[in-house]
Amino acid sequence: MSETNLKSIAVLTSGGDSPGMNCAIRSVVRTALGAGLKVYGIRRGYAGLLDGSFEEMNASSVGNILQHGGTILQTSRCPEFLDPEIRKEAFHILKRKKIDALVVIGGNGSYNGAFELYSEHGFPVVGVPGTIDNDIQGTEYTIGFDTAVQTAVEAVDKIRDTASSHARTFIVEVMGRKSSAIALQVGICTGAENIVLPDQGEPDFLQISKDIKRGIQRGKSSSIIICAEGENPGLSYRIQERLKEDHQLDAHVCILGHIQRGGNPTAHDRSIASHMGHVAVQALIEGRSAIATSLVNGKVVELPLEECLKKDNKFNPQMENLAKVLSI
Ligand code: F6P
């Protein structure tokens, strides 16, 4: 696409919401308006694209939103979009609405949908990584991760207070599906006695019990086990059962859940989201598409979208080792 062809773009947020998505929307809208483009917001992700929920946006549509969590455009998971026929329909809707390019802010599933729109119909798309899981290939960072980690750390600090007062063990389950990123970061930042990660198969119950008992022996007044949720629910309760049955240890379970997805974005999330939204639109203006804005060596750059499609569980052995060394 040449610079002159681009007149009108649309933006949507898709998949699980993440704090900072609003900053990215604001940046996309204002960068596009500044370049003389029309901008449409699409409500509820791909679902809203399919039912024609488009609204033209102006500078005030995105005023006073960057400090708020969630997404003003709302979002959805849209399994229908896995169907090529449905994507064809989406392409025709975009054409009818005279949209020249689409910015998709979301995670892996959202990137896949965007890439298919491009590869099947040649429709120009740009991906902006928005998910608390920090599990997108190619980018060091996804918008929302820092806020989610901060929320979880604050929650675990509170749990530590009560755990210490009662000399208890807590198993705290954090989000991230198959990604280790939130669990590792939260584990390090809260001094967890053990971190259970999803990619390491069956948890080592004996090791967990040894870590807890060692702490008790050296006078620790509490133990925290951070457990990444993984793909199958219920792991925290299984750990609780095994600790009780095999090692005579009582533990309480606390599942943090969706609290990690809400809340005001941190300055880091606001800044990265603002940069990424800008780079996304700038790429389209300069005629590039099928790219994803990515953080590489601390800088926001463009990478081919195709390279960013695979999930990356962000397991980092160095971080895991650090957590072990510091939790004695
Ligand atoms: O992908 C973000 C995420 O919060 C995951 O960490 C979690 O497993 C999942 O979404 C929960 O999805 P939902 O809100 O649809 O239940």
Side-chain angles (χ1 to χ4, degrees):
M1 194 190 345
S2 81
E3 245 174 77
T4 47
N5 283 344
L6 190 71
K7 291 194 173 66
S8 156
I9 68 166
V11 55
L12 60 79
T13 48
S14 160
D17 63 322
S18 69
M21 278 183 163
N22 282 330
C23 311
I25 297 169
R26 172 178 176 269
S27 174
V28 166
V29 169
R30 291 197 173 167
T31 303
L33 291 173
L37 303 176
K38 279 191 170 201
V39 202
Y40 291 85
I42 301 177
R43 294 215 161 267
R44 290 173 289 101
Y46 292 120
L49 197 172
L50 292 168
D51 66 25
S53 299
F54 291 60
E55 69 187 55
E56 191 171 346
M57 307 194 76
N58 56 37
S60 336
S61 330
V62 290
N64 207 15
I65 65 166
L66 91 170
Q67 71 273 38
H68 297 301
T71 155
I72 58 156
L73 290 176
Q74 300 186 289
T75 184
S76 64
R77 302 200 187 271
C78 182
E80 296 89 329
F81 217 70
L82 294 170
D83 179 347
E85 282 306 308
I86 297 284
R87 290 196 295 266
K88 192 170 170 187
E89 208 179 305
F91 167 69
H92 288 299
I93 293 170
L94 287 163
K95 282 285 160 203
R96 275 204 301 279
K97 300 267 184 194
K98 298 197 182 336
I99 307 289
D100 299 319
L102 177 65
V103 178
V104 172
I105 306 167
N108 286 288
S110 316
Y111 270 27
N112 279 318
F115 184 70
E116 296 300 359
L117 259 184
Y118 169 78
S119 57
E120 292 165 355
H121 304 286
F123 195 81
V125 294
V126 174
V128 174
T131 164
I132 63 164
D133 297 344
N134 200 15
D135 63 347
I136 293 185
Q137 185 83 27
T139 182
E140 286 153 18
Y141 193 77
T142 62
I143 297 162
F145 176 69
D146 189 54
T147 308
V149 166
Q150 185 61 32
T151 301
V153 165
E154 283 168 18
V156 177
D157 287 348
K158 289 181 173 125
I159 292 168
R160 182 72 85 173
D161 287 346
T162 179
S164 302
S165 304
H166 288 266
R168 282 179 180 166
T169 295
F170 272 82
I171 302 163
V172 184
E173 187 171 302
V174 295
M175 270 189 168
R177 223 176 253 151
K178 276 173 88 177
S179 169
S180 305
I182 296 179
L184 275 173
Q185 192 77 302
V186 172
I188 286 177
C189 296
T190 58
E193 275 62 32
N194 192 292
I195 307 173
V196 179
L197 298 174
D199 60 335
Q200 298 185 323
E202 189 68 353
D204 185 345
F205 300 108
L206 178 61
Q207 187 58 50
I208 299 172
S209 73
K210 279 184 179 166
D211 290 344
I212 296 169
K213 287 178 180 166
R214 188 190 57 223
I216 294 170
Q217 265 163 17
R218 86 140 178 79
K220 281 194 185 186
S221 58
S222 63
S223 301
I224 301 278
I225 299 158
I226 299 293
C227 174
E229 63 177 356
E231 275 202 305
N232 304 310
L235 179 57
S236 296
Y237 288 107
R238 220 147 53 73
I239 299 173
Q240 182 188 39
E241 260 172 45
R242 294 292 302 275
L243 288 180
K244 179 77 183 159
E245 280 168 21
D246 302 345
H247 305 283
Q248 296 71 54
L249 286 168
D250 286 316
H252 291 253
V253 170
C254 179
I255 296 178
L256 296 185
H258 287 80
I259 189 173
Q260 294 158 98
R261 286 237 299 261
N264 307 14
T266 59
H268 186 66
D269 275 320
R270 297 181 199 198
S271 166
I272 300 275
S274 301
H275 278 93
M276 285 187 168
H278 179 75
V279 168
V281 176
Q282 209 51 47
L284 289 170
I285 290 170
E286 290 165 17
R288 296 183 297 283
S289 79
I291 55 118
T293 62
S294 306
L295 196 73
V296 179
N297 298 326
K299 280 207 165 120
V300 177
V301 298
E302 300 167 22
L303 289 184
L305 186 53
E306 196 168 10
E307 279 179 23
C308 306
L309 294 181
K310 240 182 80 204
K311 274 200 178 197
D312 178 355
N313 89 359
K314 300 262 156 82
F315 172 63
N316 180 331
Q318 257 178 332
M319 283 178 80
E320 198 199 24
N321 188 48
L322 176 66
K324 278 191 184 140
V325 169
L326 299 184
S327 69
I328 52 170

